[in-house]
Amino acid sequence: MNTVNLVGRLAKDPIARDGSKTKVTELLLVTERPVIRDGRVQKDPETGYTKTDAEFHKITVFNGMGLPLRDHKAKGDQLAITGRLHYSRWQDADGNDRYGCEIIAENVEFI
């Protein structure tokens, strides 16, 4: 099974890349999780708030599902994404093998 569920905020506005037959919308989603050390959630001593670590996820949305994102969502807006992991490999201009990971969205919900 290859399923990913994320809830986070857009790190930047959606990016549109349209080909002759396919419309692609790229998202950069930020999720946060609490910092845990020795089994305890860490607090900021100055503010008392929980410390968090941020993760950035590249999301690709194909065709019609991405069009409302382009028109109605912007940096800072919250989304819920369900999709699958996709790994790719290519060679750069110097002939070096490069690797990437992205999430192909299968469902996007506005929150």
Side-chain angles (χ1 to χ4, degrees):
M1 184 182 310
N2 181 359
T3 303
V4 176
N5 294 303
L6 299 172
V7 175
R9 295 194 179 275
L10 290 173
K12 60 183 182 178
D13 292 344
I15 298 171
R17 287 188 304 120
D18 294 341
S20 60
K21 295 182 180 181
T22 305
K23 296 182 184 305
V24 177
T25 305
E26 293 180 351
L27 309 173
L28 189 60
L29 194 74
V30 180
T31 58
E32 293 183 338
R33 58 185 169 79
V35 175
I36 300 174
R37 289 203 177 86
D38 299 324
R40 300 185 70 174
V41 173
Q42 300 297 298
K43 302 269 186 183
D44 185 314
E46 293 180 17
T47 64
Y49 289 114
T50 300
K51 289 184 180 181
T52 58
D53 281 334
E55 299 270 349
F56 291 80
H57 310 277
K58 181 181 176 186
I59 314 287
T60 301
V61 186
F62 288 102
N63 295 319
M65 189 169 45
L67 299 179
L69 293 165
R70 299 175 183 188
D71 297 335
H72 302 291
K73 291 296 170 184
K75 179 180 178 179
D77 289 343
Q78 195 171 25
L79 294 174
I81 306 279
T82 301
R84 62 183 170 85
L85 284 176
H86 174 73
Y87 295 95
S88 54
R89 184 178 83 185
W90 67 96
Q91 287 189 337
D92 63 15
D94 298 326
N96 299 316
D97 284 339
R98 309 290 287 175
Y99 301 90
C101 178
E102 64 185 326
I103 297 165
I104 305 298
E106 295 172 354
N107 187 38
V108 178
E109 294 183 32
F110 292 7
I111 297 178

